[in-house]
């Protein structure tokens, strides 16, 4: 995808994401219908569905030759990332949306022939748009995000993880995770993978780990993190597959090796 085309697609994506965000804000205090998906804590609302439908309709209308992978199923069933593929999470952090009415994001990525070209993560209630185009830097609203620190030490890092890691009988020995928590300066858990990637790109947290995320949770975030010199792999240090679920470590490259070593040590 050349720079001019990328820019044109970006401008449309940005306009649609901002419009979708405004619609959510306008209805934020309305009563909502909450359903559950894979388990009683895996929530979906009519707002997730409406927002994905809105974005899919805009994309299909403007770019009938593009493909879409979306969390709520309005997109296509894909077996390859050839061509131009939009990867969409209409509301990432649905539990935050339901319980807090904030701390959730719209996440939209555009990949072309397997390469992440565009990433947008929109914190709807804060009205903060994290955005990046490949090789053109990452931004928070108008502000260019600097390259990640090259003098970072693990002992000075803030690491973000889902606290399931700390429960017994998980895929990684919880005692090793306790050790990791004691080694780093602080731990956080925000509950929206898209925002957690954006915070790594912003350098306000230094790493984010998750045992299982879907492509729409991470696609836009990967583009953001790439643009500031961050790295994203599975918890075993392997390249991510954007057609399946993955475990995730995205971080400042200075602490990648040490974090991967903790996981390797604790793998059951
Ligand atoms: P969601 O809000 O769109 O469901 C919470 O720790 C993060 O994990 C959120 O980004 C959430 O996305 C995601 N998540 C929750 N349940 C998941 C599941 N079963 N598979 C993949 N990702 C999930
Ligand atoms: Ca999600």
């Amino acid at each position: 995808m050349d720079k001019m085309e990328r820019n044109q697609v970006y401008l449309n994506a940005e306009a649609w994401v901002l419009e979708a965000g405004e619609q959510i804000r306008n209805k934020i205090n309305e009563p909502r219908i909450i359903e559950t998906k894979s388990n009683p804590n895996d929530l979906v609302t009519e707002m997730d569905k409406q927002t994905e439908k809105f974005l899919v309709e805009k994309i299909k209308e403007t770019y009938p030759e593009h493909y879409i992978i979306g969390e709520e199923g309005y997109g296509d069933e894909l077996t390859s990332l050839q061509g131009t593929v939009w990867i969409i999470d209409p509301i990432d952090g649905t539990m935050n949306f339901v319980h807090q009415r904030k701390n959730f994001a719209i996440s939209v990525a555009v990949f072309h022939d397997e390469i992440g070209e565009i990433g947008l993560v929109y914190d709807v209630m804060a009205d903060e748009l994290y955005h990046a185009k490949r090789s053109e830097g990452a931004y928070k609203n108008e502000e260019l995000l600097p390259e990640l620190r090259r003098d970072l030490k693990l002992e000075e890092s803030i690491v973000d993880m889902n606290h399931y890691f700390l429960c017994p009988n998980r895929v990684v020995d919880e005692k090793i995770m306790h050790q990791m928590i004691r080694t780093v300066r602080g731990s956080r858990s925000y509950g929206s993978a898209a925002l957690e990637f954006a915070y790594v790109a912003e350098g306000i947290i230094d790493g984010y780990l998750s045992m299982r995320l879907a492509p729409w949770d991470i696609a836009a975030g990967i583009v953001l993190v790439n643009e500031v010199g961050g790295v994203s792999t599975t918890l075993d240090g392997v390249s991510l597959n954007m057609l399946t679920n993955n475990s995730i470590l995205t971080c400042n490259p200075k602490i990648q090796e040490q974090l991967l070593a903790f996981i390797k040590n604790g793998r059951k």
Side-chain angles (χ1 to χ4, degrees):
M1 182 179 271
D2 67 31
K3 193 171 168 178
M4 241 173 80
E5 191 188 354
R6 184 164 62 225
N7 201 42
Q8 193 50 53
V9 173
Y10 172 80
L11 289 173
N12 279 321
E14 185 193 67
W16 299 333
V17 164
L18 293 177
E19 190 178 341
E22 192 180 355
Q23 289 173 14
I24 296 173
R25 276 196 304 275
N26 288 342
K27 293 186 181 168
I28 195 72
N29 289 319
E30 288 186 8
R32 58 195 47 140
I33 305 158
I34 302 159
E35 295 167 42
T36 58
K37 294 198 283 190
S38 61
N39 67 64
N41 300 324
D42 187 5
L43 309 178
V44 62
T45 72
E46 77 288 3
M47 190 61 83
D48 297 63
K49 296 178 193 172
Q50 271 173 32
T51 303
E52 182 166 309
K53 197 156 171 272
F54 167 81
L55 293 170
V56 166
E57 279 172 8
K58 292 283 186 196
I59 297 162
K60 291 275 178 203
E61 225 171 78
T62 314
Y63 299 111
E65 71 283 13
H66 289 186
Y67 301 103
I68 304 170
I69 300 175
E71 175 159 22
E72 308 309 338
Y74 293 95
D76 307 301
E77 293 269 334
L78 296 189
T79 50
S80 124
L81 284 182
Q82 292 304 308
T84 303
V85 182
W86 294 63
I87 307 179
I88 297 176
D89 194 342
I91 297 185
D92 184 61
T94 302
M95 195 185 290
N96 290 349
F97 172 71
V98 167
H99 285 255
Q100 306 179 338
R101 297 177 193 252
K102 62 178 180 178
N103 301 326
F104 60 88
I106 301 173
S107 175
V108 171
V110 181
F111 276 58
H112 183 77
D113 290 347
E114 302 188 352
I115 294 173
E117 297 281 351
I118 294 169
L120 295 135
V121 173
Y122 185 39
D123 181 332
V124 171
M125 301 313 288
D127 189 24
E128 284 173 346
L129 179 65
Y130 293 86
H131 54 102
K133 286 175 263 176
R134 184 170 62 83
S135 308
E136 295 181 49
Y139 291 78
K140 177 183 177 182
N141 292 334
E142 311 301 316
E143 177 197 335
L144 177 67
L145 299 176
E147 284 277 311
L148 297 182
R149 285 176 56 183
R150 287 294 185 255
D151 59 350
L152 182 72
K153 295 192 173 62
L154 189 63
E155 295 71 23
E156 299 167 347
S157 300
I158 300 183
V159 171
D160 181 323
M161 65 174 72
N162 186 308
H163 293 132
Y164 274 127
F165 271 113
L166 304 180
C167 304
N169 306 319
R170 310 306 299 194
V171 289
V172 183
D173 184 345
E174 73 278 6
K175 291 187 196 68
I176 300 288
M177 300 311 285
H178 299 171
Q179 256 179 39
M180 180 194 287
I181 296 284
R182 278 196 295 263
T183 305
V184 299
R185 178 166 280 169
S187 63
R188 297 289 184 274
S189 189
Y190 292 98
S192 155
L195 283 176
E196 284 156 312
F197 268 81
Y199 296 163
V200 170
E202 193 179 358
I204 62 172
I205 59 174
D206 304 298
Y208 168 57
L209 297 83
S210 175
M211 282 186 262
R212 194 182 70 153
L213 290 171
W216 42 80
D217 300 319
I218 62 175
I222 288 171
V223 181
L224 294 171
V225 168
N226 271 345
E227 283 305 308
V228 293
V231 282
S232 308
T233 64
T234 69
L235 287 175
D236 303 306
V238 173
S239 306
L240 298 167
N241 178 345
M242 297 309 290
L243 293 168
T244 63
N245 287 336
N246 292 275
S247 66
I248 293 290
L249 169 63
T250 183
C251 62
N252 183 313
K254 292 295 288 183
I255 61 171
Q256 183 190 31
E257 215 172 288
Q258 285 166 289
L259 291 177
L260 287 175
F262 273 107
I263 301 291
K264 194 171 177 190
N265 225 347
R267 268 285 189 207
K268 289 183 176 164

